[in-house]
Amino acid sequence: MEILYENLLLLGQGDNWKMIVMWAIGGILIYLAIAKKMEPTLLLPMGFGALIVNIPLSGAIGEEGALTTLYEAGIANELFPLILFIGIGAMIDFGPVLSNPKLMLFGAAAQFGIFFTLCAASMFFAPNDAASIAIIGAADGPTAIVVAQQLGSKYLGAIMVAAYSYMALVPVIQPPIIKLCTTKKERMIRMPYTQKSVSKTTRILFPIVITIVAGLIAPASVSLVGFLMFGNLIRECGVLDSLSETAQKVLANLVTIFLGITVATQMQADKFLSLDTLMILGLGLFAFIFDTAGGVFFAKFLNLFLKEKINPMIGAAGISAFPMSGRIVHKMGQDEDPQNFLLMHSIGVNVSGQIASVIAGGLILAFFGAK
Amino acid sequence: MDNNYKDTITENDTQSPAVDITAPDQVLDTNPPADAAGDTPVIFEGVGTDFVRDDSTKEPEEMAEEEEGMETQAITEQDEDFTPGAQNFVSNLGYMGKGMLAIFVVIGVIMAVTALLNKVFKK
Protein backbone atom coordinates (compact mmCIF):
# COMPACT_ATOMS: atom_id res chain seq x y z
CA MET A 1 0.00 0.00 0.00
CA GLU A 2 2.90 2.29 0.81
CA ILE A 3 4.41 1.78 -2.63
CA LEU A 4 1.03 2.50 -4.23
CA TYR A 5 0.72 5.68 -2.23
CA GLU A 6 4.25 6.77 -3.16
CA ASN A 7 3.65 6.13 -6.84
CA LEU A 8 0.39 8.07 -6.73
CA LEU A 9 2.27 10.93 -5.16
CA LEU A 10 4.85 10.68 -7.94
CA LEU A 11 2.11 11.21 -10.48
CA GLY A 12 1.38 14.53 -8.90
CA GLN A 13 4.97 15.72 -8.98
CA GLY A 14 6.51 17.87 -11.71
CA ASP A 15 5.40 16.94 -15.21
CA ASN A 16 4.31 13.44 -14.28
CA TRP A 17 0.65 14.42 -14.72
CA LYS A 18 1.37 14.06 -18.45
CA MET A 19 1.55 10.32 -17.88
CA ILE A 20 -2.16 10.35 -17.08
CA VAL A 21 -2.79 12.14 -20.37
CA MET A 22 -0.85 9.38 -22.12
CA TRP A 23 -3.05 6.81 -20.38
CA ALA A 24 -6.00 8.53 -22.01
CA ILE A 25 -4.29 8.52 -25.39
CA GLY A 26 -3.43 4.85 -24.99
CA GLY A 27 -7.02 4.21 -24.09
CA ILE A 28 -8.23 6.04 -27.19
CA LEU A 29 -5.94 3.96 -29.42
CA ILE A 30 -7.24 0.77 -27.79
CA TYR A 31 -10.83 1.96 -28.23
CA LEU A 32 -10.27 2.78 -31.90
CA ALA A 33 -8.69 -0.62 -32.42
CA ILE A 34 -11.41 -2.66 -30.73
CA ALA A 35 -14.63 -0.69 -31.15
CA LYS A 36 -13.94 0.92 -34.49
CA LYS A 37 -11.66 -1.83 -35.84
CA MET A 38 -9.12 0.74 -37.03
CA GLU A 39 -5.83 -1.04 -37.74
CA PRO A 40 -6.24 -3.14 -34.59
CA THR A 41 -3.07 -5.13 -35.25
CA LEU A 42 -1.03 -2.07 -34.49
CA LEU A 43 -3.14 0.44 -32.65
CA LEU A 44 -3.95 -2.01 -29.86
CA PRO A 45 -0.34 -2.94 -29.03
CA MET A 46 0.68 0.71 -29.37
CA GLY A 47 -2.13 1.83 -27.11
CA PHE A 48 -1.30 -0.74 -24.47
CA GLY A 49 2.40 0.00 -24.78
CA ALA A 50 1.64 3.67 -24.18
CA LEU A 51 0.07 2.66 -20.86
CA ILE A 52 3.00 0.50 -19.82
CA VAL A 53 5.68 3.09 -20.49
CA ASN A 54 3.81 5.86 -18.75
CA ILE A 55 3.61 4.36 -15.28
CA PRO A 56 6.01 5.96 -12.78
CA LEU A 57 9.22 3.98 -12.35
CA SER A 58 8.01 1.50 -14.94
CA GLY A 59 10.19 -1.58 -15.05
CA ALA A 60 9.40 -2.08 -18.73
CA ILE A 61 11.68 0.77 -19.76
CA GLY A 62 15.02 1.94 -18.48
CA GLU A 63 18.36 0.31 -19.03
CA GLU A 64 17.31 -3.29 -18.55
CA GLY A 65 13.61 -2.96 -19.24
CA ALA A 66 11.97 -5.51 -21.51
CA LEU A 67 10.69 -2.91 -23.94
CA THR A 68 14.08 -1.22 -24.06
CA THR A 69 15.67 -4.56 -24.87
CA LEU A 70 13.11 -5.19 -27.60
CA TYR A 71 13.64 -1.68 -28.94
CA GLU A 72 17.39 -2.17 -29.20
CA ALA A 73 16.89 -5.62 -30.73
CA GLY A 74 14.38 -4.71 -33.39
CA ILE A 75 13.62 -1.04 -33.85
CA ALA A 76 16.96 0.71 -33.31
CA ASN A 77 18.49 -1.51 -35.99
CA GLU A 78 15.32 -1.49 -38.17
CA LEU A 79 15.12 -5.28 -38.01
CA PHE A 80 11.44 -5.65 -37.07
CA PRO A 81 10.02 -3.53 -39.91
CA LEU A 82 12.26 -5.24 -42.45
CA ILE A 83 11.20 -8.70 -41.28
CA LEU A 84 7.59 -7.52 -41.42
CA PHE A 85 8.21 -6.55 -45.02
CA ILE A 86 8.94 -10.20 -45.80
CA GLY A 87 5.46 -11.02 -44.60
CA ILE A 88 3.92 -8.13 -46.54
CA GLY A 89 5.72 -9.17 -49.70
CA ALA A 90 4.39 -12.69 -49.29
CA MET A 91 0.85 -11.32 -49.06
CA ILE A 92 0.98 -9.20 -52.20
CA ASP A 93 -0.18 -10.47 -55.59
CA PHE A 94 1.52 -8.38 -58.26
CA GLY A 95 -0.59 -9.98 -61.00
CA PRO A 96 -2.83 -6.95 -61.71
CA VAL A 97 0.16 -4.65 -62.14
CA LEU A 98 2.19 -7.21 -64.10
CA SER A 99 -0.64 -7.57 -66.60
CA ASN A 100 -0.87 -3.79 -67.01
CA PRO A 101 2.46 -2.17 -66.11
CA LYS A 102 1.24 1.33 -67.07
CA LEU A 103 -0.68 1.41 -63.79
CA MET A 104 2.64 1.83 -61.99
CA LEU A 105 2.73 5.45 -63.13
CA PHE A 106 -0.12 6.27 -60.79
CA GLY A 107 1.72 4.62 -57.93
CA ALA A 108 4.60 6.98 -58.63
CA ALA A 109 2.38 10.05 -58.88
CA ALA A 110 0.69 9.30 -55.59
CA GLN A 111 3.99 9.74 -53.73
CA PHE A 112 3.79 13.48 -54.42
CA GLY A 113 2.48 14.10 -50.94
CA ILE A 114 5.72 12.83 -49.42
CA PHE A 115 7.90 15.41 -51.13
CA PHE A 116 5.40 18.24 -50.80
CA THR A 117 5.15 17.53 -47.09
CA LEU A 118 8.94 17.53 -46.91
CA CYS A 119 8.88 21.13 -48.12
CA ALA A 120 6.12 22.06 -45.68
CA ALA A 121 7.67 20.27 -42.70
CA SER A 122 11.05 21.86 -43.34
CA MET A 123 9.52 25.19 -42.32
CA PHE A 124 9.16 23.89 -38.77
CA PHE A 125 11.55 20.99 -38.30
CA ALA A 126 15.20 20.23 -38.89
CA PRO A 127 15.93 18.39 -42.17
CA ASN A 128 16.20 14.87 -40.76
CA ASP A 129 12.98 15.28 -38.79
CA ALA A 130 11.18 16.93 -41.71
CA ALA A 131 12.15 14.04 -43.99
CA SER A 132 11.03 11.50 -41.38
CA ILE A 133 7.68 13.27 -41.01
CA ALA A 134 7.25 13.47 -44.77
CA ILE A 135 7.59 9.69 -45.11
CA ILE A 136 4.29 9.35 -43.25
CA GLY A 137 2.90 10.01 -46.72
CA ALA A 138 4.27 6.66 -47.84
CA ALA A 139 1.30 5.21 -45.94
CA ASP A 140 3.55 2.34 -45.00
CA GLY A 141 4.49 1.63 -41.42
CA PRO A 142 7.72 -0.32 -41.92
CA THR A 143 9.04 2.26 -44.40
CA ALA A 144 8.24 5.07 -41.96
CA ILE A 145 10.05 3.28 -39.13
CA VAL A 146 13.13 2.44 -41.20
CA VAL A 147 13.47 5.95 -42.58
CA ALA A 148 12.82 7.71 -39.27
CA GLN A 149 15.25 5.44 -37.45
CA GLN A 150 18.00 5.74 -40.04
CA LEU A 151 17.67 9.52 -40.13
CA GLY A 152 17.87 9.61 -36.35
CA SER A 153 14.57 11.39 -35.90
CA LYS A 154 13.49 11.92 -32.33
CA TYR A 155 9.81 11.80 -33.28
CA LEU A 156 9.49 8.09 -34.05
CA GLY A 157 6.57 7.60 -31.69
CA ALA A 158 4.51 10.44 -33.12
CA ILE A 159 5.40 9.42 -36.68
CA MET A 160 4.26 5.85 -36.04
CA VAL A 161 1.00 6.93 -34.44
CA ALA A 162 0.33 9.31 -37.32
CA ALA A 163 1.22 6.78 -40.01
CA TYR A 164 -0.90 3.94 -38.68
CA SER A 165 -3.80 6.14 -37.62
CA TYR A 166 -4.09 7.76 -41.01
CA MET A 167 -3.73 4.42 -42.78
CA ALA A 168 -6.75 3.31 -40.81
CA LEU A 169 -8.53 6.57 -41.63
CA VAL A 170 -8.04 6.28 -45.40
CA PRO A 171 -11.78 5.52 -45.89
CA VAL A 172 -12.50 8.84 -44.17
CA ILE A 173 -9.69 10.95 -45.65
CA GLN A 174 -9.69 9.99 -49.32
CA PRO A 175 -13.33 10.23 -50.50
CA PRO A 176 -13.80 13.97 -49.81
CA ILE A 177 -10.44 14.77 -51.44
CA ILE A 178 -11.28 12.67 -54.48
CA LYS A 179 -14.68 14.36 -54.84
CA LEU A 180 -13.07 17.77 -54.50
CA CYS A 181 -10.56 17.01 -57.26
CA THR A 182 -12.93 15.39 -59.76
CA THR A 183 -16.24 16.09 -61.46
CA LYS A 184 -19.17 13.69 -61.45
CA LYS A 185 -18.63 13.06 -65.16
CA GLU A 186 -15.01 12.10 -64.51
CA ARG A 187 -15.98 9.77 -61.69
CA MET A 188 -18.35 7.98 -64.03
CA ILE A 189 -15.70 7.18 -66.65
CA ARG A 190 -15.78 3.47 -67.27
CA MET A 191 -12.59 1.48 -67.65
CA PRO A 192 -13.17 -1.89 -69.24
CA TYR A 193 -10.92 -4.65 -67.93
CA THR A 194 -9.51 -7.36 -70.13
CA GLN A 195 -7.80 -10.06 -68.18
CA LYS A 196 -4.30 -10.78 -69.35
CA SER A 197 -2.51 -13.77 -67.99
CA VAL A 198 0.94 -13.45 -66.60
CA SER A 199 3.39 -16.31 -66.90
CA LYS A 200 4.83 -17.93 -63.81
CA THR A 201 8.34 -17.14 -65.03
CA THR A 202 7.47 -13.44 -65.12
CA ARG A 203 6.04 -13.65 -61.62
CA ILE A 204 9.24 -15.28 -60.37
CA LEU A 205 11.64 -12.99 -62.19
CA PHE A 206 9.78 -9.78 -61.29
CA PRO A 207 10.87 -9.56 -57.64
CA ILE A 208 14.46 -10.46 -58.53
CA VAL A 209 14.72 -7.93 -61.33
CA ILE A 210 13.01 -5.17 -59.37
CA THR A 211 15.39 -5.60 -56.45
CA ILE A 212 18.39 -5.29 -58.74
CA VAL A 213 16.98 -2.34 -60.71
CA ALA A 214 15.81 -0.38 -57.68
CA GLY A 215 19.02 -1.21 -55.84
CA LEU A 216 21.24 0.01 -58.66
CA ILE A 217 19.32 3.26 -59.04
CA ALA A 218 18.67 3.92 -55.35
CA PRO A 219 21.04 1.80 -53.23
CA ALA A 220 19.59 3.17 -50.01
CA SER A 221 16.34 1.38 -50.85
CA VAL A 222 17.89 -2.10 -51.15
CA SER A 223 16.92 -3.27 -47.68
CA LEU A 224 13.34 -2.04 -48.07
CA VAL A 225 12.80 -3.26 -51.62
CA GLY A 226 14.85 -6.39 -51.13
CA PHE A 227 12.96 -7.70 -48.11
CA LEU A 228 9.61 -6.91 -49.72
CA MET A 229 10.57 -8.70 -52.92
CA PHE A 230 12.10 -11.61 -51.02
CA GLY A 231 8.74 -12.18 -49.39
CA ASN A 232 7.06 -12.00 -52.77
CA LEU A 233 9.54 -14.46 -54.27
CA ILE A 234 8.81 -16.94 -51.51
CA ARG A 235 5.15 -16.63 -52.49
CA GLU A 236 5.57 -16.87 -56.24
CA CYS A 237 8.25 -19.55 -56.53
CA GLY A 238 5.69 -22.28 -55.89
CA VAL A 239 8.06 -24.54 -53.97
CA LEU A 240 7.94 -22.85 -50.58
CA ASP A 241 4.26 -22.98 -49.73
CA SER A 242 4.88 -23.58 -46.05
CA LEU A 243 7.37 -20.72 -45.83
CA SER A 244 4.98 -18.47 -47.72
CA GLU A 245 2.17 -19.30 -45.34
CA THR A 246 4.44 -18.82 -42.36
CA ALA A 247 5.62 -15.45 -43.67
CA GLN A 248 2.09 -14.25 -44.37
CA LYS A 249 0.62 -15.34 -41.08
CA VAL A 250 2.89 -16.37 -38.24
CA LEU A 251 5.89 -14.20 -39.03
CA ALA A 252 3.85 -11.11 -39.89
CA ASN A 253 1.68 -11.48 -36.79
CA LEU A 254 4.62 -12.17 -34.49
CA VAL A 255 6.61 -9.19 -35.65
CA THR A 256 3.54 -6.99 -35.60
CA ILE A 257 3.01 -7.81 -31.93
CA PHE A 258 6.58 -6.91 -31.03
CA LEU A 259 6.65 -3.87 -33.31
CA GLY A 260 3.48 -2.33 -31.95
CA ILE A 261 4.28 -2.66 -28.30
CA THR A 262 7.94 -1.72 -28.72
CA VAL A 263 7.29 1.47 -30.66
CA ALA A 264 5.43 2.59 -27.57
CA THR A 265 8.83 3.17 -25.92
CA GLN A 266 8.80 6.36 -27.98
CA MET A 267 5.45 7.34 -26.51
CA GLN A 268 6.69 8.37 -23.11
CA ALA A 269 4.87 11.47 -21.96
CA ASP A 270 7.86 13.78 -21.93
CA LYS A 271 8.69 12.90 -25.56
CA PHE A 272 5.19 12.56 -26.95
CA LEU A 273 3.12 15.32 -25.42
CA SER A 274 4.30 18.42 -27.16
CA LEU A 275 3.26 20.90 -29.79
CA ASP A 276 5.61 19.08 -32.14
CA THR A 277 3.43 15.97 -31.91
CA LEU A 278 0.34 17.94 -32.91
CA MET A 279 2.23 19.45 -35.82
CA ILE A 280 3.40 16.01 -36.90
CA LEU A 281 -0.18 14.73 -36.84
CA GLY A 282 -1.21 17.73 -38.94
CA LEU A 283 1.62 17.26 -41.42
CA GLY A 284 0.83 13.56 -41.69
CA LEU A 285 -2.71 14.39 -42.71
CA PHE A 286 -1.31 16.95 -45.15
CA ALA A 287 0.85 14.21 -46.70
CA PHE A 288 -2.10 11.86 -47.18
CA ILE A 289 -4.23 14.61 -48.71
CA PHE A 290 -1.59 15.58 -51.24
CA ASP A 291 -0.79 11.94 -52.03
CA THR A 292 -4.44 11.51 -53.00
CA ALA A 293 -4.57 14.77 -54.92
CA GLY A 294 -1.26 14.03 -56.66
CA GLY A 295 -2.48 10.71 -58.01
CA VAL A 296 -5.84 12.11 -59.14
CA PHE A 297 -4.38 15.14 -60.88
CA PHE A 298 -1.79 13.00 -62.64
CA ALA A 299 -4.57 10.90 -64.09
CA LYS A 300 -6.43 14.04 -65.16
CA PHE A 301 -3.24 15.29 -66.79
CA LEU A 302 -2.85 12.05 -68.74
CA ASN A 303 -6.45 12.31 -69.88
CA LEU A 304 -5.52 15.45 -71.80
CA PHE A 305 -3.53 13.25 -74.17
CA LEU A 306 -5.46 9.98 -74.17
CA LYS A 307 -8.31 8.99 -76.42
CA GLU A 308 -9.52 6.30 -74.03
CA LYS A 309 -9.94 8.24 -70.85
CA ILE A 310 -8.85 7.01 -67.47
CA ASN A 311 -11.10 7.34 -64.47
CA PRO A 312 -8.99 9.81 -62.43
CA MET A 313 -10.10 8.25 -59.15
CA ILE A 314 -7.74 5.34 -59.71
CA GLY A 315 -4.85 7.76 -59.21
CA ALA A 316 -5.88 8.07 -55.58
CA ALA A 317 -5.35 4.33 -55.12
CA GLY A 318 -1.62 4.83 -55.62
CA ILE A 319 -0.98 5.32 -51.94
CA SER A 320 0.35 2.30 -50.19
CA ALA A 321 -2.65 1.65 -47.94
CA PHE A 322 -3.27 -1.76 -49.46
CA PRO A 323 -5.94 -2.98 -50.14
CA MET A 324 -8.15 -0.36 -48.52
CA SER A 325 -7.46 2.43 -50.95
CA GLY A 326 -8.16 0.25 -53.98
CA ARG A 327 -11.47 -0.86 -52.53
CA ILE A 328 -12.48 2.71 -51.67
CA VAL A 329 -11.92 3.87 -55.24
CA HIS A 330 -13.89 0.91 -56.60
CA LYS A 331 -16.76 1.63 -54.20
CA MET A 332 -16.83 5.31 -55.12
CA GLY A 333 -16.99 4.32 -58.77
CA GLN A 334 -19.89 1.99 -58.07
CA ASP A 335 -21.68 4.70 -56.10
CA GLU A 336 -21.65 6.88 -59.22
CA ASP A 337 -22.34 4.06 -61.68
CA PRO A 338 -23.21 0.57 -60.40
CA GLN A 339 -22.01 -0.93 -63.67
CA ASN A 340 -18.54 0.54 -63.36
CA PHE A 341 -15.98 -2.01 -62.19
CA LEU A 342 -12.74 -0.31 -61.28
CA LEU A 343 -11.47 -2.90 -58.81
CA MET A 344 -8.80 -4.58 -60.91
CA HIS A 345 -7.42 -1.23 -62.05
CA SER A 346 -7.49 0.33 -58.60
CA ILE A 347 -5.93 -2.73 -56.94
CA GLY A 348 -3.21 -2.75 -59.59
CA VAL A 349 -2.48 0.91 -58.85
CA ASN A 350 -2.63 0.20 -55.11
CA VAL A 351 -0.05 -2.58 -55.43
CA SER A 352 2.25 -0.40 -57.50
CA GLY A 353 1.95 2.22 -54.79
CA GLN A 354 3.57 -0.25 -52.41
CA ILE A 355 6.62 -0.45 -54.68
CA ALA A 356 6.70 3.30 -55.28
CA SER A 357 6.43 4.12 -51.57
CA VAL A 358 9.39 1.91 -50.77
CA ILE A 359 11.41 3.55 -53.52
CA ALA A 360 10.40 6.95 -52.18
CA GLY A 361 11.69 5.88 -48.77
CA GLY A 362 14.99 4.90 -50.33
CA LEU A 363 15.24 8.23 -52.13
CA ILE A 364 14.57 10.15 -48.91
CA LEU A 365 17.40 8.18 -47.28
CA ALA A 366 19.65 8.91 -50.25
CA PHE A 367 18.89 12.66 -50.13
CA PHE A 368 19.28 13.10 -46.39
CA GLY A 369 22.03 10.61 -45.78
CA ALA A 370 21.22 7.55 -43.70
CA LYS A 371 23.45 7.29 -40.63
CA MET B 1 54.47 2.61 -16.61
CA ASP B 2 55.45 0.01 -19.09
CA ASN B 3 59.17 -0.75 -18.81
CA ASN B 4 59.34 -2.85 -21.91
CA TYR B 5 59.94 0.17 -24.08
CA LYS B 6 63.70 -0.54 -23.93
CA ASP B 7 63.08 -3.35 -26.42
CA THR B 8 62.42 -0.71 -29.02
CA ILE B 9 65.74 1.04 -28.56
CA THR B 10 68.23 -0.09 -31.13
CA GLU B 11 71.97 -0.03 -31.06
CA ASN B 12 71.94 2.72 -33.67
CA ASP B 13 69.96 5.03 -31.55
CA THR B 14 72.02 8.08 -30.63
CA GLN B 15 69.42 10.34 -29.15
CA SER B 16 69.91 9.02 -25.70
CA PRO B 17 73.63 8.34 -25.45
CA ALA B 18 73.33 7.90 -21.76
CA VAL B 19 71.32 4.80 -22.26
CA ASP B 20 73.25 1.64 -21.87
CA ILE B 21 71.26 -0.78 -23.94
CA THR B 22 73.50 -3.62 -22.97
CA ALA B 23 72.37 -3.38 -19.41
CA PRO B 24 69.04 -5.16 -19.41
CA ASP B 25 68.24 -4.26 -15.87
CA GLN B 26 68.70 -0.56 -16.39
CA VAL B 27 65.49 1.37 -16.11
CA LEU B 28 65.37 4.47 -18.16
CA ASP B 29 63.34 7.18 -16.66
CA THR B 30 62.91 9.96 -19.15
CA ASN B 31 59.54 10.98 -17.85
CA PRO B 32 59.08 14.53 -16.75
CA PRO B 33 58.08 15.12 -13.15
CA ALA B 34 54.43 14.72 -12.28
CA ASP B 35 52.28 17.76 -12.82
CA ALA B 36 50.20 19.50 -10.22
CA ALA B 37 47.42 16.98 -10.63
CA GLY B 38 49.79 14.18 -9.91
CA ASP B 39 49.48 12.75 -13.43
CA THR B 40 52.68 11.79 -15.10
CA PRO B 41 52.49 11.93 -18.88
CA VAL B 42 54.54 9.15 -20.35
CA ILE B 43 56.82 10.42 -23.06
CA PHE B 44 59.17 8.17 -24.96
CA GLU B 45 62.35 9.54 -26.34
CA GLY B 46 65.13 7.89 -28.19
CA VAL B 47 63.13 6.18 -30.85
CA GLY B 48 63.17 9.04 -33.29
CA THR B 49 59.66 10.20 -32.61
CA ASP B 50 58.14 11.86 -29.59
CA PHE B 51 54.71 10.56 -28.85
CA VAL B 52 52.39 10.47 -25.91
CA ARG B 53 50.80 7.27 -24.87
CA ASP B 54 47.40 7.33 -23.25
CA ASP B 55 47.58 4.94 -20.38
CA SER B 56 43.86 4.77 -19.76
CA THR B 57 42.31 1.70 -21.29
CA LYS B 58 38.75 2.05 -22.36
CA GLU B 59 36.19 -0.67 -22.14
CA PRO B 60 34.29 -1.40 -25.38
CA GLU B 61 31.10 -0.19 -23.71
CA GLU B 62 32.73 3.14 -22.92
CA MET B 63 33.92 3.52 -26.49
CA ALA B 64 30.45 2.69 -27.80
CA GLU B 65 28.93 5.29 -25.50
CA GLU B 66 31.44 7.84 -26.76
CA GLU B 67 30.52 7.11 -30.37
CA GLU B 68 26.83 7.39 -29.56
CA GLY B 69 27.51 10.67 -27.87
CA MET B 70 29.30 11.94 -30.94
CA GLU B 71 26.37 10.93 -33.15
CA THR B 72 23.92 12.63 -30.82
CA GLN B 73 26.17 15.65 -30.87
CA ALA B 74 26.14 15.66 -34.68
CA ILE B 75 22.34 15.49 -34.76
CA THR B 76 22.10 18.14 -32.04
CA GLU B 77 24.45 20.36 -33.98
CA GLN B 78 22.23 19.93 -37.06
CA ASP B 79 19.23 20.96 -34.95
CA GLU B 80 21.16 23.92 -33.59
CA ASP B 81 22.04 25.01 -37.16
CA PHE B 82 18.38 24.83 -38.20
CA THR B 83 16.43 28.05 -38.60
CA PRO B 84 12.68 27.59 -39.07
CA GLY B 85 10.96 29.68 -41.69
CA ALA B 86 9.24 29.86 -45.03
CA GLN B 87 12.57 30.07 -46.85
CA ASN B 88 13.07 26.37 -46.09
CA PHE B 89 9.96 25.54 -48.14
CA VAL B 90 11.49 27.15 -51.19
CA SER B 91 14.94 25.69 -50.63
CA ASN B 92 13.49 22.16 -50.40
CA LEU B 93 11.48 22.43 -53.61
CA GLY B 94 14.57 21.10 -55.34
CA TYR B 95 14.24 17.87 -53.37
CA MET B 96 10.62 17.67 -54.45
CA GLY B 97 11.57 18.01 -58.09
CA LYS B 98 14.43 15.56 -57.85
CA GLY B 99 12.41 13.09 -55.81
CA MET B 100 9.43 12.98 -58.15
CA LEU B 101 11.68 12.79 -61.19
CA ALA B 102 13.68 9.97 -59.64
CA ILE B 103 10.56 8.01 -58.72
CA PHE B 104 9.19 8.32 -62.24
CA VAL B 105 12.54 7.26 -63.68
CA VAL B 106 12.74 4.19 -61.44
CA ILE B 107 9.12 3.27 -62.07
CA GLY B 108 9.65 3.85 -65.78
CA VAL B 109 12.56 1.43 -65.79
CA ILE B 110 10.52 -1.11 -63.81
CA MET B 111 7.65 -0.73 -66.28
CA ALA B 112 9.98 -1.29 -69.20
CA VAL B 113 11.50 -4.35 -67.56
CA THR B 114 8.06 -5.74 -66.76
CA ALA B 115 6.86 -5.22 -70.32
CA LEU B 116 9.99 -6.98 -71.55
CA LEU B 117 9.45 -9.89 -69.17
CA ASN B 118 5.84 -10.17 -70.34
CA LYS B 119 6.93 -10.17 -73.96
CA VAL B 120 9.73 -12.70 -73.53
CA PHE B 121 7.81 -15.08 -71.28
CA LYS B 122 4.40 -14.71 -72.88
CA LYS B 123 1.98 -17.42 -71.75
Side-chain angles (χ1 to χ4, degrees):
Chain A
M1 281 303 291
E2 208 176 293
I3 295 171
L4 174 63
Y5 178 67
E6 281 171 11
N7 284 342
L8 283 172
L9 279 181
L10 266 174
L11 276 174
Q13 288 175 11
D15 279 345
N16 287 349
W17 60 269
K18 290 181 181 176
M19 291 183 174
I20 301 176
V21 177
M22 287 308 298
W23 294 359
I25 291 173
I28 291 169
L29 292 178
I30 293 171
Y31 169 79
L32 290 173
I34 297 175
K36 301 294 179 185
K37 296 186 174 47
M38 278 175 55
E39 284 287 333
T41 48
L42 272 140
L43 290 191
L44 191 138
M46 281 167 63
F48 194 78
L51 293 174
I52 292 176
V53 303
N54 286 293
I55 294 174
L57 308 175
S58 172
I61 49 175
E63 270 188 39
E64 291 177 2
L67 290 185
T68 307
T69 305
L70 276 174
Y71 182 87
E72 294 301 326
I75 306 268
N77 55 9
E78 300 109 35
L79 192 62
F80 284 168
L82 290 174
I83 293 176
L84 183 58
F85 249 4
I86 297 176
I88 293 173
M91 291 179 209
I92 296 178
D93 176 10
F94 283 120
V97 79
L98 289 175
S99 62
N100 190 3
K102 293 192 290 295
L103 295 176
M104 290 192 215
L105 287 173
F106 301 103
Q111 308 312 312
F112 171 74
I114 297 172
F115 297 98
F116 195 49
T117 304
L118 170 65
C119 297
S122 65
M123 294 193 288
F124 310 105
F125 294 93
N128 63 320
D129 290 322
S132 304
I133 292 164
I135 207 66
I136 295 172
D140 184 56
T143 303
I145 296 172
V146 168
V147 170
Q149 195 61 33
Q150 288 208 11
L151 293 182
S153 175
K154 48 186 183 285
Y155 299 110
L156 182 62
I159 288 169
M160 283 284 298
V161 170
Y164 281 105
S165 302
Y166 291 134
M167 277 162 60
L169 285 171
V170 155
V172 173
I173 297 171
Q174 285 205 302
I177 306 300
I178 293 172
K179 282 190 175 167
L180 201 64
C181 298
T182 54
T183 62
K184 189 175 171 69
K185 190 177 169 189
E186 284 174 332
R187 291 195 293 274
M188 290 178 68
I189 293 173
R190 287 193 183 184
M191 291 181 68
Y193 177 73
T194 45
Q195 188 166 0
K196 294 176 197 166
S197 59
V198 179
S199 69
K200 187 175 172 184
T201 311
T202 301
R203 285 175 178 270
I204 291 171
L205 286 177
F206 181 75
I208 298 169
V209 171
I210 295 321
T211 305
I212 294 171
V213 166
L216 286 173
I217 298 175
S221 68
V222 169
S223 56
L224 290 165
V225 174
F227 276 66
L228 183 73
M229 293 299 158
F230 173 58
N232 190 250
L233 184 59
I234 289 175
R235 174 197 171 95
E236 297 293 352
C237 68
V239 295
L240 293 173
D241 289 343
S242 62
L243 286 193
S244 173
E245 197 172 324
T246 301
Q248 290 181 50
K249 292 181 185 158
V250 175
L251 182 69
N253 289 339
L254 195 60
V255 175
T256 300
I257 290 171
F258 286 133
L259 191 69
I261 200 165
T262 306
V263 161
T265 52
Q266 303 301 304
M267 291 177 72
Q268 293 169 57
D270 52 351
K271 286 182 198 171
F272 193 80
L273 285 182
S274 62
L275 186 62
D276 287 350
T277 299
L278 275 178
M279 287 174 63
I280 290 167
L281 292 174
L283 286 164
L285 181 61
F286 184 86
F288 269 68
I289 288 170
F290 280 93
D291 275 346
T292 305
V296 170
F297 280 113
F298 181 73
K300 286 164 70 104
F301 172 73
L302 285 184
N303 275 347
L304 295 173
F305 309 102
L306 295 173
K307 280 187 187 168
E308 255 187 65
K309 304 294 178 192
I310 300 167
N311 190 316
M313 290 199 295
I314 66 166
I319 72 171
S320 183
F322 179 83
M324 218 173 337
S325 191
R327 287 186 191 152
I328 288 161
V329 166
H330 169 67
K331 187 175 175 301
M332 287 183 72
Q334 295 238 290
D335 287 344
E336 302 289 350
D337 176 5
Q339 299 302 313
N340 195 358
F341 295 97
L342 295 172
L343 188 65
M344 294 314 289
H345 303 284
S346 62
I347 289 292
V349 172
N350 209 185
V351 163
S352 69
Q354 179 72 68
I355 302 173
S357 68
V358 165
I359 291 168
L363 287 169
I364 291 283
L365 288 174
F367 288 161
F368 293 91
K371 64 176 182 175
Chain B
M1 185 175 105
D2 183 2
N3 291 325
N4 291 329
Y5 62 85
K6 60 188 176 192
D7 294 328
T8 64
I9 301 171
T10 65
E11 287 186 13
N12 293 326
D13 183 68
T14 56
Q15 291 190 10
S16 302
V19 175
D20 180 2
I21 62 170
T22 61
D25 294 329
Q26 183 179 11
V27 174
L28 178 68
D29 184 6
T30 60
N31 289 332
D35 61 15
D39 295 328
T40 306
V42 177
I43 300 172
F44 291 92
E45 288 181 356
V47 290
T49 308
D50 288 339
F51 63 94
V52 177
R53 186 187 65 185
D54 185 359
D55 262 341
S56 68
T57 53
K58 294 183 183 172
E59 296 294 330
E61 292 84 5
E62 286 174 10
M63 290 175 70
E65 277 176 12
E66 268 187 29
E67 281 175 17
E68 199 180 315
M70 283 164 64
E71 280 177 16
T72 309
Q73 187 184 7
I75 292 167
T76 309
E77 280 171 1
Q78 190 185 53
D79 286 351
E80 284 171 359
D81 289 339
F82 168 68
T83 312
Q87 71 278 3
N88 295 336
F89 185 95
V90 176
S91 62
N92 280 292
L93 284 173
Y95 283 123
M96 187 167 87
K98 276 192 275 190
M100 289 309 296
L101 183 65
I103 282 193
F104 273 104
V105 166
V106 175
I107 292 291
V109 171
I110 293 173
M111 275 171 56
V113 167
T114 307
L116 186 65
L117 284 174
N118 280 334
K119 196 163 185 181
V120 170
F121 299 106
K122 200 185 293 190
K123 223 178 182 179

